[in-house]
C-alpha cells in the first residue's frame, strides 16, 4: 500500500515537471517568434530606439535642458549639440552579435505578457477558486508595471547614464570611442532593471499572501528600505546625486504602494478567517 502511494506521488511530481516543461517551451517559442520579428525590423529598432538616446534631440535632453534654463543654469551638457563619443564595432562579429542579442531582448519585452500568462497558468491550478477570482487582473497589472518600468528606464535612466558617462573625462588626451556591445548593454540593463524593479508591488503581494511579509514589518524596516533603494539607485544610474534622486523617488513611491497592498491583503485574510466558524 505504501509503495503504491509513493508511486502515485512520484507520478504526480513527474506530471508536474512535464507541465512546467511545456510552459517553458511555450515561453521560449513566443520569445523566439517576437525576436524574429524584431530581427526583421532591426534597422528601425537600432535607428529610432537603440541609438535615439545618443542624439541630443532625444525628448529627455530637451526637457532637462528647458528645466535647467528655467532655474538659471545655461551651461549644462543637456543643452549641447552632440555627444563627444562615437560607437564602434571592434570585433568581426560585433554588429551581428549586437543584432541577435538586441532582437532577443526586444523579443522578451514584446512577449512579456504571454510569458506572465504562462507563469500564471502554471501556478493558478494550485490556488483556491476565490484566490483565482481576485487575481484575474494579475497578467494585466504585471505587464503594465513592467512596461512602465521599461519606459522609465529608457526615458530616464538610460539618457542620464549616457549623458554622464559620455561627458565624463579624466583627461583631454582621451577620446571616447565606445564599443557597440558596451553601449547596447547600458541601454538593455537600464531598461530591464527598471522593468523588474517596478514589479515590487506584485512581489510584495505574493510575499504577503504566503505570510513572509506584513505591512507592520515593512513600516518597521522603512529606514533600511530607504538605504537599499539608494544603493539600488546608485547601481542602475550614474554616480551623480541628481540622477540617483530622480530614480529613487519612483522606487520609494512603489514601496509605499506596496505597503498599502500588503495592508489590503492582510485585511482581506483577517476578514476571511473571522468568517470561518470555530
Amino acid at each position: 500500500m505504501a509503495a503504491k502511494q509513493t508511486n502515485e506521488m512520484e507520478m504526480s511530481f513527474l506530471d508536474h515537471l512535464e507541465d512546467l516543461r511545456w510552459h517553458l517551451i511555450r515561453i521560449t517559442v513566443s520569445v523566439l517568434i517576437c525576436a524574429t520579428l524584431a530581427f526583421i525590423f532591426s534597422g528601425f529598432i537600432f535607428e529610432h530606439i537603440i541609438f535615439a538616446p545618443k542624439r541630443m534631440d532625444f525628448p529627455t535632453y530637451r526637457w532637462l535642458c528647458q528645466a535647467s534654463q528655467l532655474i538659471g543654469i545655461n551651461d549644462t551638457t543637456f543643452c549641447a549639440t552632440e555627444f563627444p563619443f562615437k560607437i564602434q564595432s571592434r570585433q568581426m562579429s560585433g554588429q551581428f552579435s549586437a543584432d541577435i542579442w538586441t532582437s532577443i531582448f526586444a523579443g522578451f519585452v514584446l512577449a512579456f505578457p504571454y510569458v506572465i500568462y504562462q507563469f500564471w497558468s502554471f501556478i493558478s491550478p494550485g490556488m483556491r477558486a476565490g484566490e483565482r477570482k481576485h487575481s484575474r487582473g494579475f497578467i494585466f497589472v504585471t505587464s503594465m508595471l513592467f512596461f512602465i518600468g521599461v519606459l522609465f528606464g529608457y526615458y530616464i535612466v538610460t539618457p542620464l547614464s549616457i549623458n554622464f558617462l559620455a561627458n565624463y573625462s579624466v583627461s583631454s588626451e582621451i577620446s571616447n570611442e565606445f564599443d557597440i556591445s558596451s553601449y547596447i548593454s547600458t541601454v538593455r540593463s537600464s531598461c530591464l532593471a527598471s522593468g523588474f524593479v517596478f514589479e515590487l508591488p506584485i512581489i510584495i503581494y505574493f510575499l504577503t499572501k504566503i505570510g513572509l511579509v506584513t505591512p507592520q514589518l515593512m513600516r518597521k524596516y522603512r529606514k533600511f528600505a530607504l538605504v537599499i533603494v539608494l544603493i539600488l539607485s546608485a547601481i542602475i544610474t550614474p554616480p551623480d546625486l541628481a540622477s540617483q534622486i530622480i530614480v529613487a523617488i519612483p522606487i520609494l513611491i512603489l514601496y509605499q504602494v506596496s505597503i498599502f497592498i500588503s495592508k489590503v491583503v492582510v485585511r482581506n485574510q483577517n476578514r476571511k478567517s473571522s468568517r470561518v466558524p470555530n
Side-chain angles (χ1 to χ4, degrees):
M1 183 68 179
K4 182 179 180 181
Q5 290 179 348
T6 303
N7 186 51
E8 289 178 352
M9 291 178 62
E10 183 179 356
M11 290 300 294
S12 177
F13 178 72
L14 292 176
D15 290 342
H16 193 66
L17 287 180
E18 179 67 13
D19 185 42
L20 175 61
R21 185 175 75 90
W22 280 106
H23 283 294
L24 293 177
I25 290 175
R26 294 188 191 100
I27 289 174
T28 302
V29 171
S30 67
V31 172
L32 288 178
I33 292 174
C34 292
T36 301
L37 292 175
F39 185 79
I40 294 173
F41 296 97
S42 61
F44 174 86
I45 292 175
F46 274 93
E47 184 66 23
H48 298 284
I49 298 178
I50 301 297
F51 291 141
K54 72 175 288 293
R55 294 190 289 266
M56 293 308 303
D57 61 351
F58 194 67
T60 305
Y61 303 133
R62 295 202 305 267
W63 300 334
L64 292 174
C65 177
Q66 295 172 359
S68 300
Q69 292 174 345
L70 286 176
I71 60 178
I73 302 177
N74 296 317
D75 186 15
T76 175
T77 55
F78 296 120
C79 299
T81 55
E82 63 178 358
F83 280 117
F85 75 91
K86 293 182 179 179
I87 298 178
Q88 297 187 354
S89 178
R90 303 179 186 276
Q91 299 177 353
M92 286 290 292
S93 61
Q95 295 193 54
F96 178 73
S97 297
D99 200 357
I100 292 296
W101 285 108
T102 299
S103 298
I104 294 175
F105 160 69
F108 175 77
V109 173
L110 293 173
F112 186 80
Y114 185 76
V115 172
I116 292 298
Y117 168 75
Q118 288 298 321
F119 171 75
W120 179 250
S121 298
F122 177 70
I123 66 172
S124 59
M127 303 176 66
R128 298 187 182 93
E131 292 175 335
R132 289 197 296 268
K133 179 180 178 181
H134 292 294
S135 305
R136 287 176 179 174
F138 170 78
I139 298 173
F140 172 78
V141 174
T142 303
S143 301
M144 181 185 67
L145 288 174
F146 178 77
F147 288 134
I148 291 175
V150 169
L151 290 175
F152 178 81
Y154 181 72
Y155 282 103
I156 302 297
V157 180
T158 296
L160 289 176
S161 300
I162 292 175
N163 182 75
F164 176 83
L165 297 173
N167 288 285
Y168 187 85
S169 176
V170 296
S171 173
S172 59
E173 297 294 325
I174 303 175
S175 59
N176 287 328
E177 296 179 353
F178 303 137
D179 189 76
I180 185 173
S181 61
S182 176
Y183 175 85
I184 294 177
S185 176
T186 300
V187 177
R188 181 175 62 243
S189 60
S190 299
C191 293
L192 280 182
S194 299
F196 289 126
V197 165
F198 271 62
E199 298 292 341
L200 179 62
I202 301 297
I203 296 173
I204 294 300
Y205 172 82
F206 281 103
L207 291 179
T208 305
K209 291 286 288 185
I210 62 179
L212 292 179
V213 172
T214 63
Q216 294 79 10
L217 183 68
M218 296 184 67
R219 294 192 190 99
K220 179 180 179 181
Y221 292 100
R222 196 197 307 265
K223 294 180 180 179
F224 297 99
L226 176 60
V227 175
I228 295 174
V229 166
L230 292 176
I231 294 175
L232 183 63
S233 301
I235 293 174
I236 65 177
T237 61
D240 63 287
L241 184 60
S243 300
Q244 293 178 17
I245 292 176
I246 291 174
V247 174
I249 289 175
I251 298 178
L252 289 174
I253 294 175
L254 287 171
Y255 187 82
Q256 291 299 126
V257 171
S258 299
I259 293 178
F260 174 76
I261 291 174
S262 180
K263 181 179 178 181
V264 172
V265 172
V266 171
R267 184 177 60 195
N268 291 338
Q269 289 177 338
N270 291 336
R271 286 179 179 175
K272 291 180 181 179
S273 59
S274 63
R275 293 173 184 172
V276 176
N278 295 328

